[in-house]
Amino acid sequence: MENRENKVLKNSRNSRARLRKQVRIFAVIASLSVIITFVTILVSVGICLHYKKQYNEVEAFAEQAAQGKEDEEAVEAVSGEIVYTQEEVDSMVTAAVTNAIDNADSEVLQILQGRLENGDGTMAILRDLYPEHVVMLDSGQYYFLPMQEDLAFNTYAEDNFIAEEGGLVTYQENGETITKKGIDVSKYQGEIDWEAVKNDGVDYAIIRAGIRGYSEGGILEDEFFRQNMEGAIANNIPVGVYFFTQALNEEEALEEANFVIGLLQDYSLTYPVYLDVEDVKKDNCRTNNLTVEERTNNAKVFLEAIEAAGYHPAIYGNMKTFLLMLDLSALEQYDKWFAGYTLPIYYPYEYKMLQYSEKGRVAGITGHVDVNICFKEYDGQE
């Protein structure tokens, strides 16, 4: 009787142990399913495109997880890019999880689990696994863009970006800050106390000159342009300007440049004239159907005209601007002002100024303001 009870107790403990093990396995797989799915798709597409670079451990694991894949048409390759949608990714999850369970003791799975436990997000892990690509997400599509070796790369060290009190960021070398603190402003900041701004340690200001409307296409001067220019200059704050473009063609791009040049006749600039190139997520945006070539040509016309007028031309944009909307190789000669709001900054190519937050706080300005750091010492008009 006693032996029988011991056997029952032992079986019960074994059952509970097996159950706990299964629960742990499923918990790991559940948290990693999206990661595994991404890796699965990347490897499958990589094989189709004959990528020479192989990530052996990831590939071996992903191939096992991808046994149930049947539809290769969901993946689209464009100019060397790997592109797929969130819906296409989600359709792979069930098959990936099912096959991954059989490999729960995989070395790769354990590595990924450890990274997740350290708080790494999906994008951070993918970027780490695919260092020869720029990995980005835009409007529900994931892009894996081969590094462009013909472009200059930035040499900024991640650890040198220092998050200060109040949400400010500096870049330091050997404990010394080597960047200048700046803001960019428009009518949305309203009335600005520029003396207070100066006393808060702001080294420069980039002021919006105007915009072209994204629906009707009219050019408008920023309502506070002159007031902001005069207020900053009166308080010895060096200035630059930017213009938000919606040019449909080269003629409109030249029109925008001439408009800005006309506004600047009464002012002396220290910082560049920036062309602001951004995606407007509106169905009625007039530039929605522009090609990369068209948008790049428009930018070149604007920047060349600004330079011919004696000013320093430059370009403002974010990841989508520089990686999907413009051909950077055709604009390599121009300084870049990059917008990236998460540290460490993930952008491989060269930039001279960083807009690191749109929710900065600066004395003399009510509400939020864009805050920047500048790595280059600008000394005025060309």
Side-chain angles (χ1 to χ4, degrees), residues 123-242:
M123 291 297 290
I125 294 172
L126 286 173
R127 288 167 174 173
D128 184 48
L129 289 174
Y130 288 85
E132 293 191 355
H133 292 74
V134 183
V135 185
M136 63 172 290
L137 171 65
D138 178 72
S139 301
Q141 286 190 311
Y142 292 82
Y143 294 82
F144 288 73
L145 310 167
M147 290 287 185
Q148 293 181 249
E149 299 298 332
D150 59 330
L151 298 180
F153 286 72
N154 76 70
T155 58
Y156 307 132
E158 290 184 359
D159 293 341
N160 289 1
F161 288 92
I162 307 300
E164 308 279 1
E165 292 184 5
L168 299 178
V169 170
T170 60
Y171 187 86
Q172 301 181 5
E173 290 182 353
N174 300 318
E176 181 180 352
T177 298
I178 66 167
T179 51
K180 291 184 178 295
K181 173 185 175 181
I183 59 174
D184 59 275
V185 299
S186 68
K187 70 174 186 178
Y188 296 108
Q189 276 66 54
E191 298 281 345
I192 296 176
D193 182 344
W194 285 101
E195 182 179 3
V197 170
K198 175 68 173 181
N199 292 336
D200 200 20
V202 170
D203 297 310
Y204 65 92
I206 310 300
I207 294 168
R208 189 171 78 168
I211 65 169
R212 185 188 288 276
Y214 68 81
S215 59
E216 300 299 326
I219 294 180
L220 300 173
E221 178 182 332
D222 187 282
E223 297 171 23
F224 282 78
F225 169 69
R226 299 175 191 275
Q227 183 174 328
N228 283 334
M229 290 289 285
E230 292 163 10
I233 292 172
N235 285 278
N236 297 314
I237 300 175
V239 295
V241 302
Y242 73 95

Side-chain angles (χ1 to χ4, degrees), residues 2-261:
E2 182 177 348
N3 289 338
R4 182 179 178 183
E5 290 177 350
N6 287 339
K7 288 181 180 179
V8 171
L9 182 59
K10 183 178 180 179
N11 290 337
S12 177
R13 285 198 297 268
N14 289 339
S15 295
R16 289 196 297 272
R18 285 195 299 271
L19 179 60
R20 285 195 297 270
K21 182 177 180 180
Q22 291 173 348
V23 169
R24 285 197 299 271
I25 290 174
F26 277 96
V28 171
I29 299 304
S31 63
L32 293 171
S33 61
V34 175
I35 306 287
I36 296 165
T37 298
F38 292 157
V39 177
T40 298
I41 293 176
L42 288 176
V43 173
S44 299
V45 175
I47 292 172
C48 293
L49 297 177
H50 304 287
Y51 273 38
K52 295 181 180 179
K53 179 68 177 177
Q54 299 296 324
Y55 297 90
N56 294 328
E57 293 180 353
V58 177
E59 182 186 53
F61 175 68
E63 285 178 346
Q64 293 174 7
Q67 295 301 314
K69 182 177 180 182
E70 297 177 354
D71 186 4
E72 293 286 350
E73 296 179 354
V75 180
E76 175 187 7
V78 181
S79 301
E81 302 172 1
I82 303 173
V83 186
Y84 50 91
T85 68
Q86 184 68 58
E87 182 179 357
E88 291 162 351
V89 169
D90 291 342
S91 70
M92 295 290 294
V93 171
T94 302
V97 172
T98 300
N99 288 287
I101 289 175
D102 295 333
N103 299 279
D105 59 346
S106 162
E107 181 180 354
V108 173
L109 185 61
Q110 292 175 9
I111 292 172
L112 293 177
Q113 179 186 1
R115 287 173 179 165
L116 281 180
E117 289 174 347
N118 289 333
D120 293 331
T122 299
M123 291 297 290
I125 294 172
L126 286 173
R127 288 167 174 173
D128 184 48
L129 289 174
Y130 288 85
E132 293 191 355
H133 292 74
V134 183
V135 185
M136 63 172 290
L137 171 65
D138 178 72
S139 301
Q141 286 190 311
Y142 292 82
Y143 294 82
F144 288 73
L145 310 167
M147 290 287 185
Q148 293 181 249
E149 299 298 332
D150 59 330
L151 298 180
F153 286 72
N154 76 70
T155 58
Y156 307 132
E158 290 184 359
D159 293 341
N160 289 1
F161 288 92
I162 307 300
E164 308 279 1
E165 292 184 5
L168 299 178
V169 170
T170 60
Y171 187 86
Q172 301 181 5
E173 290 182 353
N174 300 318
E176 181 180 352
T177 298
I178 66 167
T179 51
K180 291 184 178 295
K181 173 185 175 181
I183 59 174
D184 59 275
V185 299
S186 68
K187 70 174 186 178
Y188 296 108
Q189 276 66 54
E191 298 281 345
I192 296 176
D193 182 344
W194 285 101
E195 182 179 3
V197 170
K198 175 68 173 181
N199 292 336
D200 200 20
V202 170
D203 297 310
Y204 65 92
I206 310 300
I207 294 168
R208 189 171 78 168
I211 65 169
R212 185 188 288 276
Y214 68 81
S215 59
E216 300 299 326
I219 294 180
L220 300 173
E221 178 182 332
D222 187 282
E223 297 171 23
F224 282 78
F225 169 69
R226 299 175 191 275
Q227 183 174 328
N228 283 334
M229 290 289 285
E230 292 163 10
I233 292 172
N235 285 278
N236 297 314
I237 300 175
V239 295
V241 302
Y242 73 95
F243 181 88
F244 177 81
T245 180
Q246 280 291 289
L248 283 177
N249 50 50
E250 295 181 15
E251 290 74 21
E252 288 192 353
L254 183 58
E255 181 186 13
E256 292 177 353
N258 288 333
F259 172 81
V260 174
I261 293 167

Side-chain angles (χ1 to χ4, degrees), residues 342-355:
T342 303
L343 293 181
I345 300 300
Y346 179 79
Y347 180 74
Y349 306 118
E350 188 174 64
Y351 58 92
K352 301 301 184 184
M353 191 157 71
L354 170 69
Q355 183 187 87

